[in-house]
Amino acid sequence: MSEPMAVRLEGGLGVVDAARQREQLIALLDSHPGDLSLDLTQVDEADTSGVQLLLATDRSLRERGHRLHLVQLSSAVEQALRTYGLDASLSPPSTAPAGEPA
């Protein structure tokens, strides 16, 4: 199995920027079939639109037999996911060493 395509989103994942980010992600999904790994450390705003975009991307990938991997999150993305109770399902896995609590 090949490595996921790694992408870093920058700027906002809010209502103002969601359409632009959506177009970028659609183009990526169409041109690079496979898993997608998103680095969201440079996202400075995230709201309902951004969460919906992440969920839609995840759903689209799953329908194609692939997965969305969120590898790193900014505090804005963490807060948005927590607000909607999605932090456990979309957040990256814990990086705590084995034997230590996450």
Side-chain angles (χ1 to χ4, degrees), residues 1 4-5 29 34-38 57-58 60-70 89 93:
M1 183 171 200
M5 177 180 49
L29 295 179
D35 287 5
L36 176 62
S37 179
L38 287 180
T57 301
D58 182 57
S60 180
L61 283 163
R62 286 181 187 273
E63 289 171 354
R64 298 172 188 205
H66 303 293
R67 296 202 51 217
L68 173 64
H69 306 274
L70 300 184
S89 61

Side-chain angles (χ1 to χ4, degrees), residues 94-102:
S94 171
T95 56
E100 292 186 23

Side-chain angles (χ1 to χ4, degrees), residues 32-87:
H32 295 90
D35 287 5
L36 176 62
S37 179
L38 287 180
D39 177 340
L40 303 173
T41 55
Q42 299 301 309
V43 173
D44 55 14
E45 175 193 7
D47 64 13
T48 304
S49 299
V51 170
Q52 289 173 335
L53 177 61
L54 294 174
L55 288 171
T57 301
D58 182 57
R59 182 179 60 245
S60 180
L61 283 163
R62 286 181 187 273
E63 289 171 354
R64 298 172 188 205
H66 303 293
R67 296 202 51 217
L68 173 64
H69 306 274
L70 300 184
V71 293
Q72 293 190 3
L73 307 176
S74 69
S75 59
V77 174
E78 286 178 354
Q79 179 60 44
L81 292 177
R82 195 174 313 116
T83 297
Y84 295 101
L86 297 169
D87 48 326

